[in-house]
Amino acid sequence: MSMKPIWIVDDDQSIRFVLEKALQREGLPCRSFTHPREVLKALEAGEGSEGPQVLVSDIRMPGGSGLDLLSSVKERLPGLPVIIMTAFSDLDSAVSAFSSGAFEYLPKPFDLPKAIELIRRAVDESLREEVAEEQTDEAPEMLGQAPAMQDVFRAIGRLAQSHVTVLITGESGSGKELVARALHKHSPRASGPFVAINTAAIPKDLLESELFGHERGAFTGAQTSRRGRFEQADGGTLFLDEIGDMPFDLQTRLLRVLSDGHFYRVGGHSAVKANVRVIAATHQDLEQRVKEGGFREDLFHRLNVIRLRLPALRERREDVPMLTRHFLQRSAQQLGVEPKRITESAMAQLGQFQFPGNVRQLENICHWLTVMAPAQVIEVKDLPPEVQLPPAVAEAGSAEGVGAEPSPVRVPAPPATSWTPLPASGGLPAPLPLSASPGVLPMGGWEGALESEALQLLGEGRTDVWDVLTRKFESRLILAALSTTRGRRIEAAQKLGIGRNTITRKIQELGIDD
């Protein structure tokens, strides 16, 4: 993701000079202004297309006050972090800077490394906002000619123009987020942000601040205040995936926002207004969750205004050929190779498969085939082992109830060489299959495969085995994460639990072309 410049506003030339030089050393682009009027003029002219990544402004300048600048900038760019520089003695102005929405203030005279660290934190925060607010242009269109899918399209057409809350139900991998994106894209809110959050993927104790934001100092580690997903989605759509997993006390808070459109940040005392359309999704039976006392009945009724059920892929087998061609085309594009074709017999075999992981599983199989099928035309023998199994065995995974993740299906171990040994140069192999259902590996799982690979390399008398296999392991992890975030690095780093700088460095070191 290319970074926009950091804008510095100060009438003191020496401060501008020092900050500019320090930011250049850090490789951060920057641009300087001597008073607020220049900044507003640059914003109006739409320079740098969307303006700055972070704004650092003095509080008292001959050309106007930093606080006035802060409020005009916040109107235009609510997600932009603004750092206010202020003389240490001037506490009142610091307090008013916070209440006007500053990200942080920097007392003068400042310690340069601290100032740069603060600017870096602000950059991270603004990049987090961008990940959350990525527009929906890149969302793949939904495909399907099966009658069950045509019903879904008709429903999207009818619902798109309304602001009503929609509950999407369907098994894991059936494309619930695509439906939510389509509802947003064809709605009056299409120009606003589409923000998605998977409530099951975020630890319970972090979910509240993720949804509603937090004030500085609200809990240990809250060094700065942060907007939550509701604020980010203002004027647009908030998609709450796996709503059935939301903790009970948060369900109460969500109900309150849905009823009166107001909420409080964690540790906050003033109400924030949210003009947001909520679309929720679940693979669980919510009525059953209500009966068991795990889901609030009143929240269920509030979300369940319109229910849209997504069919499982096995209920619309006629769409498999079209989807397969689409995904083979897309994988080839991502990997920069010629798209593979598939024989009729292989397509027929694929059409027989139960797809416990639904459309996502088909997409992963196509990615696997693009990487692993030896020839340009895919034959039955090239299909992954789970697709070649007799239906009775393959279905074992899908008989565990709606949305259950399939259990791993084991097959006899293929020859040891099928784990794509490294070329002698130590270059990187093509990405591994990224299967939503557990992939089929040699007996002993991937650790066994790793061990046999290590033994093979050690047997060749090589002395770089550690490096070779670590590179291989790290690159697979990063590629897998990037494939789940459609190439968004910051989100991939968050999912892997590593820093943004780490993933960027690794991508360069490993020569990964994402």
Side-chain angles (χ1 to χ4, degrees):
M1 192 183 286
S2 63
M3 215 186 85
K4 302 187 289 250
I6 289 147
W7 286 10
I8 300 164
V9 198
D10 199 318
D11 57 325
D12 182 336
Q13 196 207 338
S14 59
I15 284 186
R16 291 198 308 268
F17 181 78
V18 166
L19 279 174
E20 273 175 25
K21 282 286 161 282
L23 289 169
Q24 277 160 8
R25 272 201 306 277
E26 291 285 313
L28 293 168
C30 64
R31 180 178 172 190
S32 288
F33 301 85
T34 48
H35 52 72
R37 280 198 309 274
E38 289 177 6
V39 178
L40 294 172
K41 214 180 279 172
L43 280 175
E44 273 157 23
E47 291 180 31
S49 73
E50 299 115 338
Q53 190 81 48
V54 171
L55 178 67
V56 185
S57 169
D58 190 20
I59 202 157
R60 298 188 191 286
M61 291 168 282
S65 109
L67 289 180
D68 296 344
L69 177 63
L70 174 63
S71 51
S72 354
V73 167
K74 280 283 171 186
E75 267 171 39
R76 285 193 177 80
L77 304 166
L80 175 73
V82 179
I83 295 171
I84 291 287
M85 295 184 282
T86 166
F88 207 19
S89 54
D90 198 357
L91 189 65
D92 294 349
S93 56
V95 172
S96 37
F98 275 126
S99 54
S100 320
F103 174 74
E104 186 59 282
Y105 74 97
L106 187 58
K108 287 182 182 177
F110 51 76
D111 175 31
L112 199 55
K114 279 217 175 78
I116 297 300
E117 191 218 345
L118 180 60
I119 291 171
R120 271 214 176 279
R121 275 218 315 264
V123 167
D124 285 344
E125 178 63 17
S126 68
L127 291 171
R128 170 186 170 274
E129 293 268 341
E130 282 170 28
V131 166
E133 296 188 12
E134 270 186 340
Q135 288 304 305
T136 50
D137 314 340
E138 61 169 86
E141 281 296 329
M142 297 186 64
L143 301 171
Q145 286 155 358
M149 275 316 275
Q150 292 303 313
D151 290 346
V152 171
F153 295 148
R154 272 194 293 278
I156 291 174
R158 278 198 306 274
L159 294 172
Q161 288 311 306
S162 77
H163 293 279
V164 56
T165 306
V166 179
L167 178 66
I168 305 166
T169 60
E171 293 181 17
S172 289
S174 54
K176 297 188 285 291
E177 184 173 336
L178 287 184
V179 172
R181 284 180 181 274
L183 282 168
H184 171 76
K185 198 170 166 183
H186 300 289
S187 79
R189 296 172 168 263
S191 58
F194 174 87
V195 176
I197 178 170
N198 181 336
T199 48
I202 291 166
K204 287 186 171 42
D205 47 345
L206 296 180
L207 188 56
E208 185 178 18
S209 90
E210 194 61 39
L211 277 172
F212 302 110
H214 61 248
E215 294 298 352
R216 169 196 167 108
F219 47 85
T220 313
Q223 293 169 305
T224 50
S225 57
R226 167 177 280 190
R227 302 196 314 154
R229 301 300 195 196
F230 263 100
E231 276 175 86
Q232 289 176 338
D234 192 46
T237 305
L238 178 64
F239 174 54
L240 298 173
D241 201 0
E242 297 309 352
I243 192 84
D245 292 299
M246 183 177 267
F248 208 82
D249 52 338
L250 270 187
Q251 293 175 25
T252 311
R253 289 203 60 180
L254 177 61
L255 183 65
R256 206 168 298 142
V257 186
L258 292 175
S259 354
D260 67 5
H262 287 87
F263 62 89
Y264 291 85
R265 285 180 173 182
V266 178
H269 302 296
S270 50
V272 183
K273 175 127 184 61
N275 164 22
V276 172
R277 178 195 196 178
V278 171
I279 298 176
T282 182
H283 73 264
Q284 298 181 346
D285 179 343
L286 279 191
E287 278 99 337
Q288 190 53 39
R289 296 269 296 133
V290 169
K291 276 195 197 105
E292 293 161 0
F295 203 82
R296 286 188 63 127
E297 188 169 6
D298 42 7
L299 177 59
F300 169 67
H301 291 307
R302 170 124 345 226
L303 293 171
N304 194 31
V305 182
I306 301 278
R307 184 183 300 209
L308 222 171
R309 181 187 169 273
L310 258 187
L313 186 52
R314 60 185 166 279
E315 295 171 38
R316 52 178 188 118
R317 289 182 193 279
E318 56 268 61
D319 286 343
V320 170
M322 172 181 62
L323 287 166
T324 303
R325 281 190 286 273
H326 170 70
F327 289 139
L328 283 172
Q329 199 96 38
R330 214 164 72 186
S331 284
Q333 211 176 345
Q334 284 168 359
L335 295 164
V337 295
E338 196 59 34
K340 292 196 169 167
R341 296 190 304 284
I342 183 165
T343 61
E344 273 181 39
S345 51
M347 187 69 93
Q349 176 79 26
L350 204 50
Q352 292 303 304
F353 185 54
Q354 285 296 305
F355 292 106
N358 290 299
V359 182
R360 190 186 298 137
Q361 186 176 15
L362 175 60
E363 181 176 11
N364 287 329
I365 287 171
C366 292
H367 195 77
W368 188 89
L369 288 166
T370 301
V371 173
M372 305 295 277
Q376 202 45 43
V377 176
I378 297 161
E379 313 266 352
V380 175
K381 64 179 188 329
D382 301 324
L383 294 172
E386 68 260 37
V387 177
Q388 297 188 18
L389 290 171
V393 188
E395 280 166 35
S398 59
E400 297 162 20
V402 174
E405 284 299 324
S407 46
V409 180
R410 290 266 172 244
V411 295
T417 51
S418 75
W419 208 60
T420 50
L422 271 174
S425 66
L428 287 172
L432 254 186
L434 302 166
S435 173
S437 67
V440 182
L441 284 168
M443 285 305 197
W446 66 273
E447 296 99 328
L450 175 66
E451 194 178 332
S452 62
E453 176 89 346
L455 288 168
Q456 187 182 334
L457 293 174
L458 291 162
E460 292 166 9
R462 294 176 63 151
T463 54
D464 58 351
V465 176
W466 179 275
D467 278 352
V468 166
L469 291 181
T470 307
R471 282 171 64 85
K472 203 169 184 180
F473 174 76
E474 288 180 338
S475 65
R476 289 287 153 97
L477 265 183
I478 290 171
L479 284 164
L482 287 169
S483 87
T484 66
T485 64
R486 299 203 186 96
R488 297 192 283 261
R489 289 183 180 188
I490 294 164
E491 215 175 308
Q494 282 170 347
K495 288 191 171 190
L496 288 170
I498 61 177
R500 183 173 61 85
N501 295 345
T502 309
I503 199 168
T504 306
R505 191 182 75 246
K506 291 281 181 199
I507 285 172
Q508 281 164 353
E509 281 173 11
L510 298 164
I512 295 173
D513 181 15
D514 66 322

